[in-house]
Amino acid sequence: MRVDLDGVSKRYGPTTALADVSLSVADGEFFTLVGPSGCGKTTTLRLLGGFEEPTEGTVRFDGESMAGVPPEARGVGLVFQSYALFPHMTVAENVGYGLRFADPPGGVTTDARIADLLELVGLEGFEDRDPTELSGGQQQRVALARALAPGPELLLLDEPMSALDARLRERLRRDVREIQQELGVTTVYVTHDQAEALAVSDRVAVLSEGHVEQVGRPQELYRRPASRFVAEFLGENNVFDAQVVGTTRGNSTTAGETEGLTVRVQGCDFVLPRVENASDERLTFCVRPAAFEVDSGTNRLTGDVVDSEFLGETTRVHLDWEGTRVVVALDTPPEADELTVGFDPEDAWVL
Ligand code: ATP
């Protein structure tokens, strides 16, 4: 099912939770809403589920306005952060509860449907257990099975993994993704965890203060952020404000001679890739920590090592470059107190 939000705003008294949001989710897509606390993720999900009505704008399912359509008539499956299983019901009864408004799809019996779903979420044979006898991850699997029981055309997931520990979260998110692909159900997923958003989604919308900052595929958002907010929110980044000096021929260690743009940051000249609107006198660019190498690269800077975190595969080093914090990811921990690191023009992205 295709989902559209057309110019949707939601206000609660003086608070604007969403301001003129337009988004389209394609049929079968795994679409994630990500952003810091209070940016409007849950509000968007509640509008899709029919628990709230927009103050302005329209929510459409397959082109049809959902104005006034109650939650139970929307054909939507929901999984929330808290497990919300009924403690006095068995696992089978909890999953069966998902069928209270609808017959099992495909003409199968309720018992067969419950067994199929428990197998789908990896809990075959758990029918008679009480929710209290399950781990957090298992409880969320039951909640997912319950949401999927009536065969919804839209699945809404609101931070379903946030109560789980990191390892379990990774496992469950992979499973959710696999199940979603197997069923082909359109899914809108809410998380504040940017790594999770990048890992599971077909497309991601980054929200900030009730508006959409950028929508795109994970790699696109990561590599080509449209704003400083997106650049800094998705993964670690070094963002520099620079003064444009001119166009030059630069030498890149990997791309050979390139035509670039020379910019100045804190008295240091850097070569960046050519950009269309370089007539501006100032610009902002970003460089990922992993793009830096020690004593290598066209654009170099020297800073004092202020902090070094050994993370196994890489070491995250914080440099103080004349008052500016620069984070670089190195293969080996630095031995000196001062470090010269560099990046090539193609590693920089102009915002
Ligand atoms: P979180 O990650 O913390 O859950 P969120 O991105 O889901 O945040 P929302 O819950 O959508 O954010 O809230 C967006 C804004 O709307 C916040 O400022 C919030 O305080 C406000 N808000 C949400 N629901 C209500 C309500 N029922 N009444 C008043 N204000 C509300």
Side-chain angles (χ1 to χ4, degrees):
M1 187 167 74
R2 182 192 160 90
V3 174
D4 293 288
L5 285 104
D6 292 337
V8 169
S9 298
K10 180 67 186 174
R11 284 186 286 277
Y12 297 102
T15 309
T16 299
L18 283 182
D20 194 18
V21 167
S22 294
L23 287 172
S24 292
V25 182
D27 185 32
E29 197 171 28
F30 196 115
F31 191 90
T32 300
L33 302 170
V34 69
S37 183
C39 69
K41 306 180 293 289
T42 298
T43 301
T44 309
L45 221 59
R46 292 179 62 77
L47 289 167
L48 294 175
F51 304 102
E52 304 277 359
E53 288 288 330
T55 312
E56 277 153 31
T58 314
V59 172
R60 286 179 221 280
F61 290 178
D62 276 341
E64 226 171 277
S65 169
M66 286 293 113
V69 179
E72 63 275 14
R74 292 196 180 196
V76 164
L78 290 156
V79 182
F80 295 108
Q81 181 174 342
S82 57
Y83 314 128
L85 297 181
F86 300 109
H88 55 280
M89 289 185 188
T90 64
V91 165
E93 285 164 350
N94 266 284
V95 177
Y97 188 80
L99 293 164
R100 69 201 179 285
F101 295 123
D103 290 331
V108 299
T109 64
T110 299
D111 285 350
R113 179 68 180 160
I114 292 169
D116 278 354
L117 285 161
L118 289 179
E119 191 187 333
L120 184 72
V121 300
L123 290 177
E124 51 271 72
F126 278 62
E127 279 85 346
D128 296 328
R129 290 249 198 137
D130 278 339
T132 49
E133 298 169 332
L134 301 178
S135 70
Q138 290 169 334
Q139 291 184 46
Q140 275 310 54
R141 287 168 194 273
V142 176
L144 181 63
R146 182 175 65 187
L148 292 171
E153 288 192 71
L154 176 62
L155 183 62
L156 303 178
L157 305 171
D158 193 356
E159 307 247 11
M161 334 261 184
S162 59
L164 307 177
D165 68 56
R167 194 174 283 266
L168 209 56
R169 226 164 38 219
E170 267 179 41
R171 166 87 201 281
L172 188 61
R173 83 181 182 211
R174 273 201 306 276
D175 290 352
V176 167
R177 174 63 172 156
E178 232 177 84
I179 291 167
Q180 186 270 341
Q181 286 191 316
E182 192 176 326
L183 302 177
V185 58
T186 308
T187 299
V188 180
Y189 182 70
V190 159
T191 179
H192 63 271
D193 182 339
Q194 47 87 23
E196 201 158 279
L198 294 176
V200 297
S201 318
D202 290 315
R203 281 190 310 146
V204 177
V206 182
L207 301 187
S208 161
E209 297 180 357
H211 71 270
V212 178
E213 281 277 333
Q214 193 175 357
V215 183
R217 296 185 174 282
Q219 291 206 19
E220 198 176 306
L221 295 185
Y222 190 79
R223 295 205 177 125
R224 296 194 277 277
S227 64
R228 187 183 196 117
F229 180 84
V230 176
E232 290 181 326
F233 186 76
L234 294 179
E236 209 159 17
N237 223 333
N238 296 287
V239 180
F240 300 100
D241 290 314
Q243 181 195 348
V244 177
V245 180
T247 310
T248 37
R249 297 211 152 269
N251 260 314
S252 152
T253 49
T254 51
E257 193 169 288
T258 53
E259 184 165 305
L261 193 69
T262 304
V263 299
R264 192 164 294 162
V265 185
Q266 307 194 142
C268 242
D269 284 358
F270 293 147
V271 181
L272 304 185
R274 258 172 68 91
V275 281
E276 294 306 322
N277 57 349
S279 54
D280 293 348
E281 283 181 10
R282 301 201 65 83
L283 57 76
T284 303
F285 68 97
C286 54
V287 185
R288 293 281 177 194
F292 286 93
E293 281 185 63
V294 177
D295 294 325
S296 166
T298 309
N299 303 307
R300 305 208 183 174
L301 57 91
T302 301
D304 296 325
V305 175
V306 287
D307 194 17
S308 171
E309 301 161 272
F310 177 64
L311 302 174
E313 289 193 6
T314 62
T315 298
R316 179 129 106 286
V317 181
H318 296 252
L319 297 175
D320 176 15
W321 175 45
E322 291 165 24
T324 298
R325 181 65 67 101
V326 178
V327 182
V328 301
L330 305 178
D331 294 339
T332 48
E335 279 168 14
D337 297 337
E338 194 185 77
L339 212 54
T340 297
V341 293
F343 62 94
D344 286 324
E346 62 272 20
D347 293 323
W349 175 251
V350 179
L351 297 173

